[in-house]
Amino acid sequence: MNPSSATAPNTNEYAGDEISAIVLDPGYSSTRAGFAGEDIPKSVIPSYYGIAPTASGSSQYLFGENSIHNPLPNLEIKNPWSSDGIVEDWDTATKLWEYAITSRLTGQRPTDPTKNGLNDGTNGEGNGQMDVDMDGLDDAEKPLAESPLLMTEPGLSSAKAREKYIEIAMEDWGTPAFYLGKTGVLAAFASGKASGIVIDIGASTTTVTPIVDGLVLKKGVQKSPLAGNYMSNQLRLIFAQSQPPVPLTPHFMVASKSPVDAGAPAQAIYKKFEVPPTASFRRFEEERVLTEFKESVVETWTGPNRLSVPGTEESLKNAPGRPFEMPDGYNQLFSAERFKVAEGLFDASSALHDPDNPRPKDEQTIPRMVQAAIHHIDVDLRPIILGNVIITGGASLTYRIMDRINAELSQMFPAPRIRLIAPGNTIERKYAAWIGGSILASLGSFHQLWISKKEYEEHGPSIIDKRIK
Amino acid sequence: MATRRDIQDIIGLPGGGDTPAPKKRAKTAGPQKKLHGVNREVAALYGERPPPVAVYEEKKTYRAKRANLGPVRPWIQQPFTNPARTDGLVLKHWRRKPTARPNIENGGDTAMEDADNQSPQLETDYEYARFNVDVSVPSYTDEEYEAHLRSNEWSREETDYLLELAKDFYLRWPVIHDRYEFQSAKAEPADDAASAGDSILENPTDALSTLPYNSSLPRDPRSIEDLKARYYFVWETTLKLHRPPEAMESSEFELLEVLHSYNPDSEHVRKRIALALMSRPLDEVKEEEFLLAELQRINIAANRLDAERAELRERLEAPTPQRDLGPAGPLGNFQSSQALTALFQQLFQQDRSKKRASGSGRLSLSAGDIIGTPTAAQQAAYNAAAGSRKASMAHPPPPQPQLRALSAAEERRYGVSNHDRLTSGVSFGSDKLVKMRQAKSGVQTQKIAAVLAQLGFGDIITIPTARVGAAFEGLVAKVGKLLDLRKVREKEENEVKVLDGMRAKRAGEDPAATGSAPPQHGRDSTETQERDMKQEERDESLMEQSIADSTVGAETTYAEDGEGGDDAEGEEDDAEGEEDADGETNATSTRQVSEAVSTRAATTPAASVKAGHKRSASVLSAGSTRSRASTKRARK
């Protein structure tokens, strides 16, 4: 058959060999899981989870998009990650990740194919195939007994965290083989690059990871809290500081609304709750509105001069704004404000701040982080690295953020050629690390790198530092 | 089986068995053949006529036949082990079930069931295991280390650690340098010992393991160049220990040379320069781009000028001036093969840049510009610097194999010939001969033809061998020169005539006016002209000398060149005999100059020029004698 763009390449051409491995890419905002070799994760769930007291006094965990937005009484919304992008609550994280895998991929309790009745032949009495050894049965009870697991970790995880990952995978889930990939490296693989610098603008953190031949240069990894959540906080500050303040009402509180003029107070009928929802639930629901605002209104300022230059902001006041309507019907045109949200990512001095939200440090801005990362790279490699600037992460979908990054980097490094690489597809941008993991775990030449259960049993959790450097 | 007709017969109906079939046929073959794939309304527009464009019914025409691949071949989850792994991990991938036993017909369903329930065979030869490549790092024993590899700056432990990292990271030096965190209290170099010691005290070793990856460990003082230098030194030494350089194969020895020539200091310098280049401000980059464009423009102009000059020089074919340069003169520079290679590179580069000048130039900096390898210059510097180390090597590198130069006789013997690059396809020697007769202008071609006819050459040369061709080429070149000379001579005779006329005129007027020094005055006025003439005459005499030289060169002995010079002088006299009639004042000086030049030309071993002459002359002696005769005749 003639090869064409429509037909998939032969697996031998790219050493593809799928072993039904599962790729799990946990993040602060969402957790992605799916089978290796597929092009998008089948299971994407929010990393936030709900915890509600039950009648018997114990607490019930709620996972998944469908269950956590229901305003149950005393429902608390939490996140197992700490705000600096490191897993804090390992027990819940394990449950959450297990949910991500079992809810869509493996099913709750996979039965052995010889026993599930589907394979019973005409002489269904069985001919001696049923006696499964008991060791195998033990493992078979665990959710991942059938599938090797590839997990992702942030570029800066500690040795302890790495050991925890393999412990969970081996002990709790009983996976036959395990591997831990760095998000930066995998995101670069998703773009088909083995060397480059990955700017990952996520929810809780922005990471800059220099990569050479598929290996992270650890000394160059930079991390800062200026990311999606920071932008949300900026937005809250903008709403609070504007005159009059912009009210922020989440969807669940509104029963019905009627149209009002721009800037006029909302006329809506609000729902009544016997037990008012918790603050964490309300905040979580407010975040959804803010996300919508960020997606539809916020734009990155691209010049000609900086937003902090006096006069620039005033000139924007006259420019036509962009309308946004809150769930309760309040609506307003936003002109200069929409540029200020993301400005702090690039220019710390123009970030809004109050006692709760301190002004970010200069070296936490994206250009300064790239500069610091490049500083750690050998001079010979810098042109190659700067020719492959890979941008991923959900917050990198902010309108025109690429233009801004390009302008900042070109100004900082005039001599070498700078090329930004960012998939145009939203899904590929958000789930780049998962896609890279999916590619990696479906390669035949990769299968020699798995850490097997046997190796884990011989060496213990410390094997992860020996095998995956 | 009972057909309809049978039934009709049985029932007793009138047998109309034949009629329905033709009716049907008529219906289907009717003119209202329905067109598929066309709207009813559009089809109605056609009317009775067939459509103007043949309408193919896609369904009927192009549907590919479903390939019959035999019975369904099931897929199974085939377990496999990877030979690249040591732990025997069994993974499963989907594979076609291997075809079951051939006697499926006999076995029937039960056989299939058996095959289904059997657990699939474990596959042990994994096709992608061949991608498991490993780097080999040098190894050494304790004795070897003690004897050859000891260093003040590197401990045994640290060297081992370096080799281990090199193996782990496949010699990717940026990564090795990034992960290099050697911790040894006594191995810390003195300058860093204080700070390192402090931080170690603060962080006990058990706490170190819990620190994050890039915890602020004491900054290691080893640069990437230091690591490379140590590694290359270890590699080089072990290579030499395992096999002495004399016994090495050329590839191994080249590797050794490369390893030996690594110079960390020059790498440092290079990287500093590269860094400076990278961290220029924007306006400097712009300025450089502008300057590069300007340089390119200048180069193009210069190249054009050079090409024009070269063409002119070729036309006149004056030997290159070789003042005050002995055997190590311009040509002496190029006697070694290395120098010749360099010259070739230079010429090649010029040629390329000329070509590139027409296309778009590359102005920006790219990765290739910065990443470099140790060059010959660096090697030389390193050799000088590391003299002591070289002395300890005690293994002089073997002499470079010399290219043997063949003498003319040997060339003939072995049938070696040097020629221009051949074009593809067949070319005829006679074509070449014909081409030689052609000049750029038709007039010139006619003149050449006339001279050749005068010399008695026919239009066709019967056997155009390579030697005949070369001889003919030489002859034609000389004819060209002869024609040039004639032209110059005519011009100058005219000028001299005019000047003579002027002088005669002035001589008629002047004596009365000044009376003191008429010749001097006349000399002043014509000085520039005369100088020009001298120059021309000298060129002329050189030409003649070279022609004469070739004549004498028929005997092809070095010593006879002097005679050739004499001969040329003799001829010079002949030529000047004619000139004497023109200007008596400058005749003697001209002669001196021309004599000087001709003798110098004769005594200086201008190897290449002479060789060329000799070769052509050996064949051409008769022809060129004749051509000389014709030259003289032409002059007279």
Side-chain angles (χ1 to χ4, degrees):
Chain A
M1 198 197 284
N2 289 331
S4 75
S5 58
T7 56
N10 195 356
T11 48
N12 290 330
E13 283 169 29
Y14 62 98
D17 186 19
E18 291 170 23
I19 55 164
S20 56
I22 283 175
V23 181
L24 176 66
D25 176 25
Y28 184 90
S29 170
S30 68
T31 300
R32 284 77 67 173
F35 284 107
E38 292 177 348
D39 47 7
I40 49 165
K42 268 210 172 87
S43 165
V44 180
I45 61 160
S47 293
Y48 292 92
Y49 65 95
I51 185 162
T54 54
S56 61
S58 64
S59 49
Q60 182 200 2
Y61 287 96
L62 297 173
F63 299 120
E65 193 81 50
N66 291 339
S67 51
I68 56 173
H69 295 301
N70 191 9
L72 296 174
N74 298 321
L75 174 68
E76 294 273 356
I77 298 294
K78 289 184 177 171
N79 196 319
W81 294 75
S82 75
S83 60
D84 55 349
I86 291 168
V87 179
E88 244 175 7
D89 181 358
W90 283 98
D91 292 339
T92 323
T94 310
K95 283 181 195 147
L96 182 78
W97 297 339
E98 192 177 325
Y99 174 81
I101 293 168
T102 54
S103 64
R104 292 282 174 90
L105 304 178
T106 60
Q108 280 299 330
R109 215 163 273 251
T111 9
D112 194 78
T114 53
K115 290 190 296 180
N116 61 7
L118 293 174
N119 293 339
D120 290 350
T122 46
N123 49 352
E125 260 57 61
N127 31 17
Q129 297 298 319
M130 289 309 204
D131 45 348
V132 186
D133 54 321
M134 290 315 287
D135 291 344
L137 203 65
D138 264 0
D139 275 348
E141 295 299 315
K142 290 180 176 168
L144 272 176
E146 293 287 316
S147 316
L149 177 72
L150 185 139
M151 267 186 89
T152 66
E153 57 163 352
L156 282 178
S157 61
S158 63
K160 223 172 189 173
R162 290 157 63 91
E163 289 182 8
K164 191 77 190 164
Y165 279 123
I166 194 170
E167 238 176 87
I168 293 169
M170 290 289 177
E171 309 277 350
D172 296 358
W173 299 339
T175 179
F178 181 75
Y179 193 81
L180 199 57
K182 298 227 182 265
T183 47
V185 176
L186 297 179
F189 283 167
S191 298
K193 302 285 173 192
S195 298
I197 187 162
V198 179
I199 303 175
D200 182 354
I201 313 174
S204 67
T205 48
T206 294
T207 354
V208 174
T209 319
I211 289 161
V212 173
D213 288 338
L215 291 160
V216 170
L217 294 185
K218 282 180 179 150
K219 285 169 189 155
V221 178
Q222 307 289 322
K223 196 170 93 171
S224 98
L226 304 186
N229 293 349
Y230 163 79
M231 280 159 70
S232 296
N233 289 342
Q234 290 283 298
L235 208 46
R236 283 173 193 272
L237 282 177
I238 288 172
F239 286 168
Q241 288 173 3
S242 68
Q243 289 301 330
V246 177
L248 184 58
T249 320
H251 279 278
F252 77 95
M253 292 178 68
V254 181
S256 71
K257 64 177 178 182
S258 48
V260 291
D261 285 341
Q267 291 178 354
I269 300 164
Y270 297 99
K271 280 183 183 163
K272 297 271 183 289
F273 296 97
E274 286 176 23
V275 185
T278 58
S280 67
F281 182 78
R282 184 182 164 120
R283 191 180 168 86
F284 177 60
E285 293 298 317
E286 280 174 2
E287 286 294 319
R288 291 180 94 192
V289 179
L290 294 177
T291 304
E292 202 184 328
F293 188 90
K294 283 192 283 183
E295 284 168 353
S296 53
V297 176
V298 169
E299 181 175 340
T300 314
W301 177 251
T302 51
N305 38 28
R306 293 197 169 254
L307 200 57
S308 54
V309 172
T312 316
E313 218 179 307
E314 281 67 37
S315 68
L316 276 172
K317 292 251 160 67
N318 306 323
R322 209 173 268 199
F324 186 78
E325 188 183 309
M326 293 288 173
D328 58 358
Y330 174 88
N331 63 86
Q332 182 62 283
L333 282 175
F334 296 92
S335 50
E337 296 91 339
R338 67 197 190 99
F339 290 104
K340 279 156 79 178
V341 178
E343 187 62 17
L345 264 60
F346 299 95
D347 183 4
S349 64
S350 66
L352 300 170
H353 50 90
D354 66 357
D356 290 340
N357 300 286
R359 177 187 181 277
K361 295 189 193 99
D362 279 332
E363 56 269 22
Q364 287 176 334
T365 59
I366 291 174
R368 291 288 294 272
M369 281 201 292
V370 174
Q371 192 178 32
I374 293 286
H375 179 74
H376 283 280
I377 298 173
D378 196 58
V379 180
D380 289 347
L381 288 170
R382 289 184 195 180
I384 301 170
I385 296 284
L386 284 172
N388 293 307
V389 180
I390 298 151
I391 296 176
T392 64
S396 75
L397 291 164
T398 309
Y399 185 49
R400 298 186 76 184
I401 204 168
M402 307 279 296
D403 298 348
R404 179 64 182 269
I405 293 176
N406 196 13
E408 294 276 350
L409 294 189
S410 305
Q411 197 190 3
M412 200 179 289
F413 306 102
R417 198 174 125 76
I418 289 175
R419 226 174 108 232
L420 299 193
I421 296 163
N425 186 339
T426 313
I427 292 186
E428 282 176 29
R429 188 89 69 86
K430 276 159 87 178
Y431 307 144
W434 186 90
I435 293 169
S438 164
I439 294 169
L440 187 64
S442 62
L443 292 182
S445 45
F446 171 74
H447 297 329
Q448 66 186 57
L449 296 178
W450 295 104
I451 298 174
S452 70
K453 198 170 188 64
K454 192 175 163 197
E455 284 173 302
Y456 174 77
E457 277 157 6
E458 270 173 34
H459 299 94
S462 64
I463 187 166
I464 195 133
D465 266 351
K466 282 198 208 98
R467 286 289 305 278
I468 302 170
K469 303 209 173 186
Chain B
M1 290 279 273
T3 62
R4 192 182 48 167
R5 199 176 297 172
D6 295 338
I7 295 169
Q8 281 172 343
D9 283 348
I10 292 166
I11 300 170
L13 282 172
D18 293 336
T19 42
K23 243 186 215 165
K24 244 185 201 168
R25 227 178 282 136
K27 211 187 226 172
T28 47
Q32 299 103 342
K33 192 185 171 194
K34 202 185 169 192
L35 286 168
H36 289 282
V38 180
N39 257 347
R40 190 159 46 93
E41 290 79 6
V42 177
L45 290 174
Y46 293 147
E48 296 298 314
R49 283 169 298 163
V53 180
V55 178
Y56 288 99
E57 291 178 36
E58 198 191 354
K59 274 184 189 167
K60 278 183 187 167
T61 325
Y62 290 121
R63 179 186 274 176
K65 267 194 175 174
R66 195 190 150 91
N68 186 6
L69 300 170
V72 173
R73 287 183 301 156
W75 292 79
I76 49 163
Q77 280 223 302
Q78 170 83 49
F80 68 95
T81 55
N82 192 338
R85 301 187 65 97
T86 52
D87 57 352
L89 171 70
V90 178
L91 298 168
K92 289 178 183 172
H93 53 192
W94 286 102
R95 281 287 177 269
R96 286 272 192 204
K97 190 171 179 172
T99 40
R101 63 209 66 178
N103 53 352
I104 258 178
E105 306 259 327
N106 310 343
D109 288 347
T110 47
M112 288 295 289
E113 279 311 310
D114 280 351
D116 270 346
N117 291 339
Q118 272 167 12
S119 58
Q121 288 292 308
L122 191 70
E123 186 185 304
T124 48
D125 52 335
Y126 188 55
E127 58 179 319
Y128 299 115
R130 64 199 150 97
F131 292 115
N132 182 29
V133 284
D134 238 336
V135 289
S136 59
V137 297
S139 59
Y140 43 78
T141 60
D142 291 350
E143 295 85 50
E144 279 170 358
Y145 187 88
E146 287 302 313
H148 301 283
L149 293 168
R150 281 177 62 118
S151 156
N152 290 334
E153 293 181 5
W154 289 79
S155 65
R156 170 75 196 259
E157 293 80 34
E158 198 172 358
T159 309
D160 289 346
Y161 176 73
L162 173 68
L163 293 188
E164 190 190 323
L165 276 187
K167 193 174 165 59
D168 280 351
F169 295 115
Y170 291 81
L171 296 179
R172 290 189 174 93
W173 290 106
V175 184
I176 294 170
H177 182 243
D178 179 63
R179 309 292 171 93
Y180 196 87
E181 281 164 4
F182 183 67
Q183 290 288 307
S184 171
K186 69 173 186 183
E188 286 294 337
D191 57 341
D192 209 55
S195 62
D198 287 349
S199 60
I200 284 174
L201 283 180
E202 281 164 22
N203 306 321
T205 24
D206 55 335
L208 275 178
S209 62
T210 59
L211 279 175
Y213 250 75
N214 69 339
S215 60
S216 54
L217 290 170
R219 183 96 192 96
D220 71 76
R222 302 235 182 261
S223 69
I224 194 165
E225 287 79 24
D226 294 340
L227 301 180
K228 274 188 182 177
R230 176 66 178 171
Y231 183 81
Y232 291 159
F233 173 68
V234 171
W235 194 0
E236 182 194 346
T237 314
T238 48
L239 263 185
K240 278 192 284 193
L241 281 175
H242 293 161
R243 192 185 290 189
E246 295 87 349
M248 278 183 189
E249 287 173 17
S250 63
S251 61
E252 275 179 304
F253 190 76
E254 274 166 27
L255 173 68
L256 197 69
E257 287 283 293
V258 171
L259 291 178
H260 187 74
S261 62
Y262 182 77
N263 183 356
D265 296 335
S266 63
E267 279 288 286
H268 263 307
V269 173
R270 181 181 70 77
K271 283 195 177 160
R272 231 180 15 243
I273 293 168
L275 184 65
L277 188 71
M278 268 195 59
S279 48
R280 287 170 306 169
L282 188 63
D283 45 349
E284 269 184 42
V285 175
K286 290 224 171 104
E287 190 185 334
E288 189 201 301
E289 280 180 9
F290 170 74
L291 285 178
L292 275 175
E294 199 68 357
L295 178 70
Q296 210 174 19
R297 203 179 54 76
I298 292 169
N299 271 342
I300 292 169
N303 279 341
R304 199 183 301 133
L305 195 67
D306 277 355
E308 278 165 10
R309 274 192 192 151
E311 202 185 312
L312 190 68
R313 227 176 282 131
E314 206 169 281
R315 183 174 283 255
L316 295 173
E317 207 176 56
T320 41
Q322 297 174 5
R323 301 175 284 277
D324 65 33
L325 288 168
L331 289 170
N333 278 342
F334 302 114
Q335 271 167 352
S336 68
S337 68
Q338 231 176 354
L340 275 176
T341 321
L343 177 68
F344 172 73
Q345 284 293 341
Q346 193 189 337
L347 292 174
F348 182 68
Q349 207 63 38
Q350 274 175 3
D351 188 36
R352 240 185 20 185
S353 63
K354 209 187 273 177
K355 267 182 202 154
R356 197 187 292 156
S358 60
S360 65
R362 194 185 57 144
L363 297 176
S364 62
L365 187 77
S366 73
D369 295 335
I370 293 189
I371 297 179
T373 49
T375 60
Q378 287 170 348
Q379 179 179 353
Y382 183 63
N383 287 349
S388 57
R389 195 208 276 186
K390 196 166 187 187
S392 72
M393 258 168 49
H395 293 306
Q400 296 279 337
Q402 296 264 332
L403 278 178
R404 227 175 102 210
L406 294 176
S407 70
E410 278 171 324
E411 270 187 14
R412 262 203 304 285
R413 188 178 151 203
Y414 299 123
V416 177
S417 65
N418 301 313
H419 40 74
D420 294 339
R421 211 163 123 188
L422 295 175
T423 52
S424 61
V426 181
S427 62
F428 294 101
S430 54
D431 291 349
K432 214 167 149 193
L433 293 186
V434 170
K435 210 180 278 172
M436 283 176 205
R437 290 165 187 260
Q438 311 285 336
K440 272 180 187 158
S441 70
V443 182
Q444 185 79 352
T445 313
Q446 276 175 7
K447 278 181 183 169
I448 291 175
V451 173
L452 286 176
Q454 206 178 6
L455 291 173
F457 284 96
D459 281 348
I460 294 164
I461 292 165
T462 3
I463 306 173
T465 60
R467 288 174 68 187
V468 171
F472 190 74
E473 193 178 354
L475 176 65
V476 171
K478 278 182 192 132
V479 169
K481 264 181 277 173
L482 172 66
L483 292 174
D484 283 348
L485 283 180
R486 267 189 202 167
K487 209 196 274 174
V488 171
R489 189 187 147 79
E490 265 170 31
K491 196 176 128 204
E492 290 195 355
E493 273 178 357
N494 282 339
E495 275 181 24
V496 168
K497 255 181 214 162
V498 171
L499 286 176
D500 270 350
M502 278 169 68
R503 198 200 298 179
K505 229 174 159 186
R506 204 177 290 150
E509 296 165 0
D510 269 5
T514 53
S516 54
Q520 219 168 357
H521 186 66
R523 206 190 173 105
D524 273 347
S525 64
T526 53
E527 197 169 14
T528 44
Q529 305 264 359
E530 280 170 1
R531 213 186 298 133
D532 285 349
M533 273 165 53
K534 272 184 209 165
Q535 180 66 36
E536 302 274 16
E537 277 165 27
R538 196 171 60 180
D539 286 347
E540 208 172 329
S541 64
L542 281 173
M543 296 291 165
E544 292 199 353
Q545 189 269 327
S546 71
I547 293 174
D549 200 2
S550 67
T551 325
V552 179
E555 280 83 24
T556 54
T557 23
Y558 186 109
E560 279 165 7
D561 272 348
E563 286 179 278
D566 293 345
D567 204 4
E569 263 180 84
E571 203 177 341
E572 217 87 41
D573 289 342
D574 288 355
E576 277 154 14
E578 297 156 48
E579 300 283 340
D580 280 351
D582 310 324
E584 53 273 44
T585 40
N586 58 359
T588 41
S589 63
T590 313
R591 178 183 297 208
Q592 278 161 3
V593 170
S594 63
E595 271 177 9
V597 170
S598 61
T599 43
R600 204 188 305 136
T603 47
T604 316
S608 62
V609 174
K610 202 172 57 197
H613 281 314
K614 271 181 195 168
R615 209 168 302 157
S616 59
S618 61
V619 194
L620 240 176
S621 58
S624 57
T625 338
R626 252 192 290 171
S627 86
R628 184 160 60 117
S630 74
T631 317
K632 280 188 178 172
R633 236 178 291 140
R635 276 163 183 263
K636 279 166 184 161

